[in-house]
Amino acid sequence: MKSAVILFPGLNRDRDMLAALEKITGHKPHAIWHGDAELPKVDLVVVPGGFSYGDYLRAGAIAARSPALAEVKKHADAGGLTLGVCNGFQILTEAGLLPGALMRNRDLKFLCKTIHLKAENTTSAFTNQYAEAPVFPCPIAHHDGNYQVDPDGLKELQDNDRIAFRYCDADGNTSQAANPNGSIDNIAGILNKRGNVLGMMPHPENLIEKAHGGIQGRFIFESLVKAVA
Amino acid sequence: MLKNIDIEITKDLIAEHGINDEEYAKILELIGREPTYTELGIFSAMWNEHCSYKSSKIWLKTLPTKGDRVIHGPGENAGVVDIGDGQAVAFKMESHNHPSYIEPYQGAATGVGGILRDVFTMGARPIAAMNALRFGAPEHEKTRHLVSGVVEGIGGYGNSFGVPTVGGEVEFDPRYNGNILVNAFAAGLLDTDKIFLCAAKGVGLPIVYLGAKTGRDGVGGATMASAEFGDDIDEKRPTVQVGDPFTEKCLLEACLELMATGAVIAIQDMGAAGLTCSAVEMGAQGNLGVELNLNDVPTREENMTPYEMMLSESQERMLMVLDPEKEDIAKAVFEKWELDFAIVGKTTDDLRFRCIYDGMEVANLPIKDLGDEAPEYDRPRSEYPAPPALGDIPADIDPAASLMTLIGNANGASRRWVWEQYDTLIQGNSVQIPGGDAGVVRVEGADGKKALAFSVDVTPRYCEANPREGGKQAVAECWRNLSAVGALPLASTDNLNFGNPEKPEIMEQFAQSILGIGDACRALDFPIVSGNVSLYNETNGIGILPTPAIGGVGLMADWSKMMTQSFKNEGDVILLIGKNGTHLGQSAFLRDCLGRIEGDAPKVDLDEEAKNGAFVRGLIDAELLTASHDLSDGGLAVALAEMSIAGNLGATINVSTDLQTLFGEDQARYCITANSANIDSILARASEQNVTIVQLGTVGGDRLMFGDALSLKVTDMRVAHESWFPDYMTAEAAQ
């Protein structure tokens, strides 16, 4: 699988994402500086995490309006696989590639911890390797991960199997107590209508080897490898 | 001849700059005329306590700073230590105490920014951060606000910059009511053949300013850090700088990119006393003069005077000497990262520090004398008072209630509320996050097994009772924490926080603490390679507890052998390395359970420390253990409770349950667990190495039990341990 990672100033999990893609796919991903508008032909485009432009206006707002994002949009509109993680998820919602918005965490604090996720859709291009063990521990690290969408939008997501991941406890219960940031319906990650764009707050790229205490983050990338094979 | 075009130099003005009569006389002698206003500002910036170390230098010189692995000791932006395979670690710790009290978010944030800049100025990519925080009593009216602001500021800067925070300390004591301590540590990874230094080389080369624009923020900040606080404290708010982690992240990437092109000859970050200090150091260290044209300095405010430009402490700025042949390459890098850069001067061969503004010389000073001739004081010291003797301990103490107090009060409770606000995982190399004995980070670019361990420690109440032993203990505890995870301690950095050095008893406290630190660093082969001194931590005459924080770095050949403190398996055998507990003087038990601060600090037997630490590391390397934890505050009982809570497993302990055994804070001790099959081998090694070791009991069940005297449910202990911090902080919202 060929991939490209888009780089904006202020992103800081770009190196984590580049390393994960290389370790799992065996191919060195393209690192595309936002100013170099041309996207190479790849199977997957990733917008990684961090604080693009310091998140000074609103998380992801400035990067979403850059020429580089227009290229990402073209790629996604043509059916190309597109993944946004953390700030990348915020950027994709700001750019209109995904519905809803990421608000400040319920407790108004940055939160970095290991929570549990449940893969609710285990057939998508991003999640087809989670069918056997859909509940797994995964790290989060964000200040603005409180996903919100209007009631119609939520229904649309629920009815069309577009909720990729929800926050849950170790037993898979998607209770309020297991919701770290107040996001609606415990949503941690969503798919677009066509199923080729995934945005998620947790960090699968920090869960790919023994040193991370788990490898369940790999399954996203392995799902993608399978999907493009 | 330089003339004062703007402001007359009066006695009051000189005093306002913190320059005394003797020092002013020295200035007149050095330059042979009255200084200009700008020059007076330059002298005050270079000669204040914060930059010149004038009260502390004489004692700092006694510290061991060399070792087989030390590449650069104190004097550079950060110390650099060899970690093999052509790699090195650069690290330092620095205080931002005064600004953090005035404006906690920005004070703490810029403290983190400053220390990160020190590290990447050397050419290192920051890979780990820690912080040592001290606040006033929890019930003090300002404490919650300060805790909340400082923690958010550290997170706000470090998380955005993208460095994992892997360790730290948080302590509460009424003695910090008027002066909190915010000490920030950072470490970075670099190649031994690509270390960048501040000494300029070559005459007539361009001096380039890079980074954020210069504003009026922080003008006089270093001078503020060199005085006590009075009631006018809130008036000092404008001297606190404002941080911009986004610019700093761009600056990091731009600097590393630029360094890789070979264009950088010398580089220095603008920290305390900004442009003045960085330009003077570049010239003086390189035996060159420096000429700055201040009209070319990028400014963010209008009508800034030369004085303000020279003293501004605006953040995220760098000064570089560039290879003129590579100017275009450099320019492309700056433009890519959209950073301001400007050629603001050049190196000269006349050893003068000259500043030109509107075509006029506003400063012309001998560059070497600004640093070399800075005042140095051997301040008077007085005999240090002995602490009050340890009185009788009542016989009717309930050990179970005492243990619950110790693990569930302000100083013993879990710091999870704090470190969950820090990104502990970014970069994907954190193999042990806060909550354990040391933070551990995997090292990229080697064999994938190498890792570095980090810990920061000091026990201020010991230092107050007995500065010499307290100094030793700070080093020993840090060294022990690194050993407890299995890392070989390599070197350390010190952040020496004290009161007013003009008081003879404080000066004695300072001197004795440093001598103690020196004793321990020598005995444990743990040289001090960088550091920072923060004096005048007093408000209305009340000084802080002496707090010489020690930050240490250790090396692990294989992180997969790393130990953690949690109990792992039912049936594992628990052992104590070191002697049975005896010492209750200055203990957490005495302070927190009886409300008494008495007795001497525990004595630190450095031979015993060295022996026991080597023994533990050997066991870990031989993969004989399942858990390891150092004994510190609260002694054996607290250590076992922490191991139990972390592993969600109980234990049955068969030792006497006198208070000394349970809560004594004797040093050089570790608690370990091992599979019963390995016990004979462990005991044989102990006997060979002449190490005191005793079997305490077995892991298992859901209670921590010391015979009949003490039996606590692990779940109850966890609730007590985890609740204090969030409960305390949410009480803020309820107020």
Side-chain angles (χ1 to χ4, degrees):
Chain A
M1 182 177 66
K2 287 185 187 145
S3 59
V5 176
I6 310 292
L7 307 177
F8 291 103
L11 290 183
N12 59 22
R13 263 188 169 80
D14 48 330
R15 298 172 83 246
D16 306 40
M17 185 60 79
L18 289 163
L21 285 165
E22 185 171 354
K23 279 177 186 164
I24 296 164
T25 68
H27 297 284
K28 214 178 169 66
H30 297 274
I32 306 297
W33 183 245
H34 74 102
D36 308 333
E38 285 278 295
L39 260 186
K41 202 164 162 38
V42 291
D43 303 304
L44 170 71
V45 170
V46 183
V47 189
F51 292 76
S52 54
Y53 299 97
D55 279 352
Y56 286 154
L57 178 59
R58 201 168 56 235
I62 298 174
R65 284 148 185 85
S66 70
L69 239 287
E71 290 294 305
V72 174
K73 199 161 186 302
K74 256 190 246 169
H75 167 85
D77 287 349
L81 294 167
T82 307
L83 171 64
V85 172
C86 200
N87 200 217
F89 184 15
Q90 294 159 346
I91 292 169
L92 295 184
T93 57
E94 280 281 345
L97 281 165
L98 290 168
L102 281 312
M103 317 277 285
R104 290 269 139 95
N105 291 348
R106 179 184 49 213
D107 296 339
L108 306 178
K109 290 188 190 325
F110 186 95
L111 189 60
C112 175
K113 65 187 290 193
T114 294
I115 47 80
H116 281 82
L117 286 183
K118 184 176 184 188
E120 296 284 7
N121 170 330
T122 54
T123 56
S124 79
F126 298 89
T127 56
N128 57 61
Q129 296 297 303
Y130 285 100
E132 256 175 57
V135 176
F136 61 100
C138 186
I140 55 167
H142 58 248
H143 195 289
D144 296 25
N146 176 0
Y147 181 77
Q148 295 299 327
V149 65
D150 61 41
D152 291 346
L154 180 62
K155 194 166 182 318
E156 164 89 24
L157 292 174
Q158 290 164 336
D159 293 352
N160 294 288
D161 210 10
R162 286 173 56 191
I163 299 174
F165 297 105
R166 291 165 83 205
Y167 300 110
C168 64
D169 62 21
D171 300 322
N173 304 308
T174 53
S175 62
Q176 262 315 297
N179 184 336
N181 53 29
S183 70
I184 194 164
D185 201 23
N186 282 39
I187 287 175
I190 54 165
L191 294 157
N192 68 344
K193 198 175 268 179
R194 199 164 160 182
N196 66 318
V197 178
L198 170 70
M200 65 188 295
M201 288 313 295
H203 288 286
E205 73 277 26
N206 286 152
L207 189 69
I208 63 156
E209 51 189 315
K210 196 180 152 212
H212 297 154
I215 59 158
Q216 294 93 330
R218 291 184 89 96
F219 301 159
I220 289 191
F221 305 98
E222 286 169 359
S223 297
L224 288 162
V225 169
K226 186 162 179 249
V228 302
Chain B
M1 175 75 191
L2 284 166
K3 272 192 289 204
N4 269 310
I5 44 170
D6 34 17
I7 274 180
E8 195 191 341
I9 308 297
T10 63
K11 248 186 142 46
D12 285 351
L13 190 70
I14 295 163
E16 272 170 36
H17 281 77
I19 293 170
N20 67 28
D21 292 348
E22 194 188 333
E23 290 166 357
Y24 189 67
K26 194 162 181 184
I27 292 173
L28 293 178
E29 185 194 317
L30 277 177
I31 65 174
R33 59 175 165 77
E34 179 180 79
T36 66
Y37 180 50
T38 304
E39 288 175 336
L40 187 68
I42 291 171
F43 272 109
S44 81
M46 294 296 298
W47 285 12
N48 64 46
E49 189 65 57
H50 191 76
C51 295
S52 74
Y53 297 93
K54 58 190 169 190
S55 306
S56 58
K57 216 187 297 176
I58 184 169
W59 295 102
L60 297 177
K61 285 177 188 163
T62 67
L63 290 170
T65 59
K66 294 191 170 65
D68 294 343
R69 289 178 178 269
V70 177
I71 299 174
H72 289 290
E76 290 298 337
N77 284 297
V80 182
V81 175
D82 197 323
I83 58 167
D85 310 307
Q87 294 179 305
V89 58
F91 65 97
K92 190 183 179 186
M93 183 157 50
E94 205 163 75
S95 62
H96 232 209
N97 304 335
H98 295 77
S100 300
Y101 184 79
I102 299 168
E103 174 60 62
Y105 184 97
Q106 292 298 346
T110 52
V112 174
I115 197 67
L116 287 168
R117 223 156 38 245
D118 276 333
V119 163
F120 72 75
T121 303
M122 306 289 298
R125 180 177 284 279
I127 57 163
M130 297 193 286
N131 51 77
L133 311 178
R134 291 194 158 74
F135 299 101
E139 57 277 11
H140 187 267
E141 55 178 9
K142 279 196 172 172
T143 301
R144 263 193 206 88
H145 156 75
L146 291 168
V147 172
S148 153
V150 164
V151 170
E152 214 174 319
I154 289 172
Y157 207 102
N159 299 345
S160 178
F161 178 85
V163 64
T165 299
V166 298
E169 287 193 294
V170 181
E171 188 170 7
F172 297 90
D173 191 287
R175 291 281 293 281
Y176 303 103
N177 279 352
N179 294 79
I180 63 168
L181 302 184
V182 175
N183 294 176
F185 170 101
L189 188 65
L190 71 171
D191 291 338
T192 50
D193 59 352
K194 291 184 195 111
I195 300 171
F196 288 81
L197 304 175
C198 76
K201 283 182 221 122
V203 174
L205 297 186
I207 294 177
V208 175
Y209 170 115
L210 176 61
K213 290 179 173 35
T214 296
R216 291 192 171 90
D217 47 338
V219 172
T223 310
M224 172 182 82
S226 306
E228 282 185 38
F229 280 165
D231 290 325
D232 59 345
I233 179 69
D234 287 333
E235 291 167 23
K236 307 217 183 226
R237 203 178 299 269
T239 54
V240 180
Q241 316 91 314
V242 176
D244 175 1
F246 169 61
T247 297
E248 177 123 324
K249 167 71 172 160
C250 294
L251 196 57
L252 161 74
E253 300 298 342
C255 283
L256 294 184
E257 245 180 78
L258 200 58
M259 286 164 170
T261 68
V264 179
I265 292 174
I267 177 165
Q268 176 73 6
D269 88 298
M270 292 192 225
L275 192 52
T276 294
C277 218
S278 54
V280 169
E281 270 180 48
M282 279 187 128
Q285 295 241 12
N287 273 318
L288 293 168
V290 165
E291 183 181 301
L292 296 180
N293 193 337
L294 300 183
N295 294 81
D296 295 332
V297 172
T299 54
R300 95 166 88 89
E301 293 172 68
E302 285 179 13
N303 302 320
M304 282 190 67
T305 65
Y307 176 92
E308 289 168 331
M309 283 186 234
M310 294 311 293
L311 268 67
S312 162
E313 291 191 0
S314 290
Q315 297 289 294
E316 294 91 22
R317 302 180 300 160
M318 289 275 186
L319 214 55
M320 292 183 182
V321 177
L322 283 186
D323 179 348
E325 284 176 17
K326 295 195 167 142
E327 219 174 288
D328 288 344
I329 301 174
K331 219 166 144 174
V333 173
F334 302 154
E335 279 169 359
K336 171 184 168 187
W337 290 98
E338 298 176 38
L339 290 167
D340 263 303
F341 79 100
I343 295 174
V344 295
K346 62 177 186 214
T347 56
T348 64
D349 61 359
D350 61 2
L351 287 176
R352 302 296 294 181
F353 181 50
R354 272 200 300 269
C355 301
I356 318 251
Y357 185 69
D358 284 348
M360 218 168 348
E361 239 178 34
V362 291
N364 185 342
L365 300 168
I367 199 162
K368 304 243 348 153
D369 293 347
L370 279 169
D372 295 350
E373 292 298 317
E376 190 174 322
Y377 297 124
D378 183 1
R379 294 202 187 273
R381 293 173 287 130
S382 61
E383 197 158 313
Y384 197 75
L390 178 61
D392 291 337
I393 311 277
D396 58 344
I397 304 270
D398 172 6
S402 299
L403 179 54
M404 287 299 270
T405 300
L406 287 169
I407 60 172
N409 74 358
N411 282 321
S414 164
R415 271 61 185 126
R416 185 184 303 276
W417 183 91
V418 174
W419 52 258
E420 281 189 348
Q421 293 185 57
Y422 305 146
D423 197 331
T424 51
L425 301 171
I426 189 157
Q427 300 187 9
N429 292 316
S430 304
V431 288
Q432 187 157 172
I433 62 168
D437 287 48
V440 183
V441 168
R442 195 169 51 159
V443 173
E444 284 178 17
D447 56 1
K449 293 181 177 172
K450 189 157 73 174
L452 291 168
F454 303 95
S455 184
V456 53
D457 299 278
V458 58
T459 312
R461 61 182 189 277
Y462 295 172
C463 297
E464 172 139 296
N466 185 333
R468 185 113 184 193
E469 290 302 317
K472 283 187 207 171
Q473 196 274 342
V475 175
E477 187 172 344
C478 180
W479 188 89
R480 213 184 302 140
N481 276 322
L482 299 174
S483 298
V485 301
L488 175 70
L490 295 183
S492 54
T493 178
D494 57 0
N495 201 148
L496 308 168
N497 310 274
F498 287 82
N500 183 347
E502 294 163 43
K503 293 181 180 167
E505 70 278 13
I506 298 287
M507 201 57 222
E508 176 67 0
Q509 193 183 60
F510 181 78
Q512 291 297 329
S513 297
I514 292 189
L515 292 174
I517 290 168
D519 294 339
C521 289
R522 267 183 292 272
L524 300 173
D525 193 14
F526 201 40
I528 301 273
V529 297
S530 57
N532 168 249
V533 180
S534 172
L535 301 174
Y536 298 96
N537 290 290
E538 299 206 1
T539 295
N540 295 330
I542 299 172
I544 58 163
L545 287 174
T547 312
I550 302 294
V553 176
L555 179 64
M556 297 193 75
D558 181 355
W559 64 263
S560 70
K561 294 183 180 177
M562 176 188 80
M563 262 312 114
T564 57
Q565 60 178 238
S566 57
F567 284 150
K568 306 292 187 309
N569 315 296
E570 298 249 357
D572 277 356
V573 178
I574 305 167
L575 303 104
L576 171 68
I577 294 170
K579 298 193 172 73
N580 190 40
T582 60
H583 190 96
L584 286 178
Q586 298 297 332
S587 64
F589 166 76
L590 203 64
R591 179 191 61 188
D592 297 341
C593 301
L594 303 181
R596 286 159 51 180
I597 297 171
E598 297 167 0
D600 199 356
K603 289 273 176 292
V604 182
D605 179 337
L606 293 167
D607 292 335
E608 175 110 356
E609 286 286 354
K611 187 172 69 178
N612 293 357
F615 176 67
V616 169
R617 290 196 302 272
L619 297 180
I620 295 172
D621 189 52
E623 301 183 80
L624 291 170
L625 303 187
T626 50
S628 157
H629 188 18
D630 101 297
L631 266 59
S632 56
D633 280 356
L636 178 65
V638 165
L640 288 167
E642 287 169 346
M643 296 172 87
S644 204
I645 294 167
N648 200 22
L649 275 171
T652 306
I653 307 295
N654 308 302
V655 290
S656 82
T657 48
D658 58 280
L659 297 170
Q660 284 80 1
T661 300
L662 291 175
F663 302 118
E665 294 182 6
D666 304 68
Q667 298 295 297
R669 302 195 298 159
Y670 302 79
C671 197
I672 56 171
T673 66
N675 185 295
S676 55
N678 291 327
I679 297 304
D680 289 347
S681 157
I682 291 170
L683 295 177
R685 278 169 173 254
S687 146
E688 269 165 39
Q689 296 175 35
N690 198 19
V691 165
T692 308
I693 190 164
V694 58
Q695 291 195 42
L696 297 176
T698 337
V699 175
D702 59 358
R703 303 182 82 94
L704 176 61
M705 293 187 291
F706 288 72
D708 301 328
L710 192 161
S711 173
L712 290 167
K713 275 184 89 168
V714 177
T715 47
D716 292 344
M717 293 196 295
R718 167 169 308 104
V719 168
H721 191 53
E722 294 290 349
S723 304
W724 186 87
F725 228 112
D727 288 355
Y728 172 69
M729 293 310 296
T730 42
E732 171 186 36
Q735 272 183 346

